[in-house]
């Protein structure tokens, strides 16, 4: 496995998402972690020392990474020659992340990012590989805009919308585009990083506000469902989304209650919808990418599913689980959708993006 793997770095390797990258890349057939970077607080320590007392993953720290010396993510120069491309799981000011990701790209090191800083950059693709794999076409335009020869930036969307984007897209692809929808999310505490929301606020409680989350949930789907234009990704006009985002006392797994209204009065039956969800496949399944779930959407029939504890790890934590599919008295249909926020919604989703980019040849000449 070792020799032929592409060397990769992780920015923010010590954080909640960064640790998932480290754990999930340990056995990856294509990528090997050779570089880890975080804040100046962690720089200079071995990775094991830097995450001592805050390693959140059930498995041990992978041997190949435990003794790597953590670098300061702000010093781009250090990474040159150490890895071919970077995963970015940084949590710092948006402007600082944007500037830093651009510096890595300018240095010829492509960045596959989880951060929100570049999601609304016009020429940066916001990828969910089952939905918009063609958005990678904007990368050549992005490189031309900046004069970058090898480097580029590709991002993944917010974790809050991961559970319902595949279902909404599957409906659109089957000829039933959604016009309007109301989404109420119940989001896990791991979504806030570590240490995140104080336990005193979370235990025995629901917090009906997550800063910036409703705006992201309402807007990002329009870029994801958009198309590649001459100079930028052109947003879709629909669906119009109204979101309520809540933080709940769950460790991992974001749940969304979704009510949708179809466009043009064209409404599938509940049986049609179930079949559309169950049959849905995308390019990652066609290409058999290593992290692709076999079934991107799993439909459950039990009246009390999906549940975070029982369903978040479906198919490596990469499948979305949908249940409670039924008619809606105000809109057309409603359902509950669940996805793992630090797996599909963050690190594994980022790894799937990188697998797509590799399969399309974007890492060939680094
Ligand atoms: P986190 O646990 O707070 O980790 C933040 C990481 O950024 C740590 O490695 C930290 O290093 C590093 N960092 C902080 N300040 C820095 C600085 N000044 N210079 C360089 N590095 C710095 O956050 P997280 O939850 O993993 O989130 C990481 C990113 O993924 C965020 O942009 C977040 O919005 C996004 N995201 C998170 C989730 C989720 O479910 N958690 C889902 C989707 C997207 P130290 O350890 O040295 O402080």
């Amino acid at each position: 496995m070792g020799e032929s793997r592409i060397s990769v770095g992780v920015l923010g390797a010590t954080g909640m998402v960064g640790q998932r990258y480290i754990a999930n890349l340990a056995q990856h057939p294509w990528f090997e972690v050779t570089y880890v970077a975080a804040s100046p607080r962690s720089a200079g320590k071995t990775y094991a020392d830097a995450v001592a007392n805050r390693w959140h993953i059930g498995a041990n720290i992978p041997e190949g990474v435990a003794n790597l010396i953590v670098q300061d993510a702000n010093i781009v120069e250090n990474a040159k020659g150490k890895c071919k491309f970077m995963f970015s799981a940084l949590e710092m000011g948006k402007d600082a992340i944007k500037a830093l990701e651009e510096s890595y790209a300018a240095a010829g090191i492509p960045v596959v990012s989880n951060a929100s800083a570049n999601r609304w950059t016009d020429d940066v693709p916001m990828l969910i590989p089952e939905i918009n794999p063609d958005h990678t076409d904007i990368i050549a335009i992005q490189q031309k805009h900046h004069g970058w020869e090898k480097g580029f930036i590709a991002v993944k969307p917010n974790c809050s919308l991961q559970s319902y984007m595949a279902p909404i897209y599957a409906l659109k692809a089957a000829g039933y585009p959604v016009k309007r929808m109301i989404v109420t999310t119940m989001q896990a505490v791991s979504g806030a990083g570590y240490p995140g929301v104080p336990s005193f606020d979370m235990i025995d409680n629901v917090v009906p506000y997550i800063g910036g989350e409703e705006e992201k949930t309402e807007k990002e789907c329009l870029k994801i469902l958009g198309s590649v234009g001459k100079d930028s990704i052109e947003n879709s006009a629909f669906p119009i989304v109204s979101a309520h985002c809540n933080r709940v006392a769950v460790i991992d797994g974001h749940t969304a209650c979704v009510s949708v209204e179809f466009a043009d009065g064209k409404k599938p039956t509940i049986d049609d919808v179930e079949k559309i969800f169950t049959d849905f496949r995308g390019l990652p399944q066609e290409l058999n990418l290593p992290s692709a779930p076999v079934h991107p959407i799993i439909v459950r029939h039990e009246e009390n599913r999906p549940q975070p504890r029982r369903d978040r790890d479906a198919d490596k934590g990469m499948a979305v689980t949908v249940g409670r599919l039924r008619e809606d008295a105000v809109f057309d249909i409603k359902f509950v959708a669940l996805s793992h926020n630090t797996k599909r919604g963050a690190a594994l989703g980022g790894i799937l993006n990188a697998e797509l980019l590799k399969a399309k040849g974007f890492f060939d000449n680094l």
Side-chain angles (χ1 to χ4, degrees):
M1 191 157 77
E3 275 160 341
S4 58
R5 292 197 288 170
I6 300 175
S7 58
V8 303
V10 181
L11 304 174
T14 51
M16 184 72 72
V17 176
Q19 293 182 20
R20 282 259 176 242
Y21 271 114
I22 298 302
N24 283 286
L25 289 167
Q27 299 299 325
H28 198 278
W30 296 353
F31 308 135
E32 178 181 20
V33 176
T34 56
Y35 189 83
V36 286
S39 79
R41 294 179 291 277
S42 303
K45 298 180 184 170
T46 63
Y47 184 76
D49 282 346
V51 297
N53 304 321
R54 55 170 173 148
W55 176 252
H56 309 292
I57 312 283
N60 288 336
I61 300 171
E63 272 180 28
V65 176
N67 289 320
L68 290 180
I69 301 296
V70 179
Q71 305 293 319
D72 181 346
N74 301 283
I75 306 175
V76 177
E77 200 63 26
N78 288 354
K80 286 188 182 163
K82 304 276 174 37
C83 58
K84 298 285 186 198
F85 75 91
M86 271 309 168
F87 289 107
S88 166
L90 291 168
E91 180 65 284
M92 49 200 276
K94 251 189 202 168
D95 291 346
I97 295 182
K98 190 170 190 300
L100 202 48
E101 292 184 347
E102 287 180 0
S103 301
Y104 280 98
I109 302 172
V111 179
V112 179
S113 181
N114 285 72
S116 61
N118 270 303
R119 287 190 197 142
W120 284 97
T121 308
D122 281 352
D123 55 11
V124 169
M126 180 150 58
L127 300 170
I128 296 180
E130 283 89 349
I131 298 179
N132 57 3
D134 58 308
H135 283 203
T136 56
D137 291 352
I138 200 74
I139 288 172
I141 298 165
Q142 180 195 129
Q143 288 176 317
K144 200 166 149 218
H145 284 163
H146 289 275
W148 296 338
E149 210 182 302
K150 295 177 175 178
F152 61 84
I153 300 169
V155 302
K156 70 170 293 308
N158 201 45
C159 46
S160 63
L161 37 83
Q162 207 72 52
S163 65
Y164 62 83
M165 276 315 297
I168 294 307
Y169 174 73
L171 289 165
K172 183 181 181 184
Y176 299 106
V178 170
K179 185 175 167 198
R180 296 192 302 167
M181 55 195 282
I182 294 179
V183 179
T184 303
T185 67
M186 289 160 280
Q187 301 187 209
V189 286
S190 61
Y194 183 81
V197 190
S199 54
F200 199 85
D201 289 337
M202 283 318 308
I203 296 169
D204 188 30
N205 211 7
V206 168
V207 180
Y209 175 71
I210 306 174
E213 204 78 348
E214 289 175 354
E215 294 80 349
K216 292 176 192 165
T217 307
E218 292 177 354
K219 265 180 69 186
E220 288 184 10
C221 56
L222 303 177
K223 182 167 180 181
I224 296 163
L225 295 176
S227 52
V228 179
K230 204 166 131 303
D231 270 326
S232 61
I233 302 288
E234 289 169 3
N235 295 341
S236 168
F238 296 102
I240 297 162
V241 181
S242 168
H244 304 262
C245 293
N246 305 284
R247 188 72 74 194
V248 297
V250 163
I251 296 287
D252 287 317
H254 288 352
T255 305
C257 296
V258 184
S259 291
V260 310
E261 177 186 59
F262 294 101
D264 314 323
K266 236 183 121 192
K267 182 185 156 188
T269 66
I270 294 295
D271 286 348
D272 292 337
V273 175
E274 177 171 342
K275 186 166 166 32
I276 289 166
F277 288 172
T278 307
D279 291 349
F280 176 64
R281 302 285 183 279
L283 189 59
Q285 287 69 39
E286 228 176 85
L287 298 175
N288 204 16
L289 298 179
S291 302
V294 178
H295 302 281
I297 306 172
I298 294 171
V299 178
R300 300 216 58 120
H301 298 102
E302 300 91 328
E303 62 191 5
N304 61 355
R305 300 283 280 273
Q307 296 178 14
R309 252 193 312 161
R310 292 178 171 167
D311 297 304
R312 62 191 166 205
D313 284 315
D315 208 335
K316 311 179 282 280
M318 286 297 281
V320 166
T321 304
V322 171
R324 307 221 57 226
L325 184 53
R326 60 215 194 277
E327 301 275 343
D328 185 271
V330 177
F331 283 178
D332 290 324
I333 62 160
K334 57 186 170 183
F335 56 86
V336 181
L338 172 86
S339 79
H340 198 302
N341 55 299
T342 61
K343 292 184 180 176
R344 168 58 96 158
L348 267 77
I351 294 171
L352 188 65
N353 282 351
E355 291 169 1
L356 174 75
L357 291 161
K358 178 184 179 300
K360 289 186 161 208
F362 282 93
F363 301 142
D364 282 355
N365 300 312
L366 297 174

